[in-house]
Amino acid sequence: IYETREGLDADAQKFLVYWQPVLMLQDWKIVLEVVEKPSSDNKNTIATTNFNKAQEAVIQVWEDFWLGTRKVNIADKPKFQDLEETVVHELVHIRQSKVDTFYGPAVDASMGYLMRKEVFEANELFIDLLAKAFVGLKRSFGASLVARDERSR
């Protein structure tokens, strides 16, 4: 939980700057915004990403969760405790955007909503696993992972 919106935004931006090249998303124009969660969104989410075929994306991080002004049952969702994992999670969605846009309509058309929901949930679990693994590797081995990758190019 953050004390101020400025602190939340500064950390979120720092994570975006670090992870965008690690996930090879330099050719994307990615904007990260810290915003109030829309009242129309009744899902138990803390961030969202929208992207288009022009390789432009907007990640929105809901300030009310991170500033502690919204009650969320984090006992069931431990990923909610880590802003860096959340930013990486959203970036992985962007990284696999071509897969999402390819399979999304096909799954809906051929298998119906129930299967689409199951595919969506499985995809979210997989992205959570990747985000945790990436952040865990960074924390275990430090920034040298990126420095080593940059030298090898």
Side-chain angles (χ1 to χ4, degrees):
I1 302 293
Y2 285 80
E3 301 265 333
T4 66
R5 181 180 186 163
E6 292 76 21
L8 169 61
D9 186 58
D11 276 359
Q13 298 299 334
K14 176 180 73 173
F15 297 141
L16 173 63
V17 167
Y18 178 88
W19 284 102
Q20 186 171 352
V22 172
L23 295 172
M24 294 179 276
L25 292 165
Q26 301 94 312
D27 53 340
W28 280 77
K29 180 183 176 200
I30 302 173
V31 175
L32 189 147
E33 303 172 335
V34 174
V35 298
E36 188 174 323
K37 183 176 180 173
S39 59
S40 60
D41 185 341
N42 61 0
K43 298 176 188 153
N44 195 22
T45 59
I46 59 170
T48 189
T49 299
N50 294 297
F51 48 82
N52 61 35
K53 290 181 182 178
Q55 292 188 293
E56 300 167 326
V58 176
I59 298 172
Q60 292 184 320
V61 175
W62 308 140
E63 70 175 16
D64 46 348
F65 171 77
W66 296 102
L67 295 176
T69 57
R70 180 169 66 105
K71 299 279 189 240
V72 176
N73 182 5
I74 62 172
D76 296 333
K77 300 189 183 273
K79 72 175 181 175
F80 283 176
Q81 298 173 7
D82 194 310
L83 179 62
E84 186 170 19
E85 286 179 12
T86 299
V87 171
V88 172
H89 175 105
E90 298 305 323
L91 288 169
V92 172
H93 274 296
I94 296 167
R95 178 73 264 165
Q96 73 163 25
S97 62
K98 290 180 182 168
V99 173
D100 285 351
T101 54
F102 175 76
Y103 283 109
V107 171
D108 274 344
S110 65
M111 296 180 223
Y113 175 74
L114 182 60
M115 182 57 81
R116 174 69 177 124
K117 182 179 177 192
E118 291 168 356
V119 170
F120 172 82
E121 289 172 355
N123 188 50
E124 284 295 308
L125 288 173
F126 182 67
I127 289 174
D128 281 346
L129 176 95
L130 288 175
K132 285 182 183 307
F134 291 151
V135 172
L137 283 170
K138 176 191 166 214
R139 291 176 183 167
S140 294
F141 296 101
S144 63
L145 283 177
V146 174
R148 184 174 32 233
D149 183 57
E150 290 298 320
R151 284 192 306 266
S152 66
R153 290 181 188 189

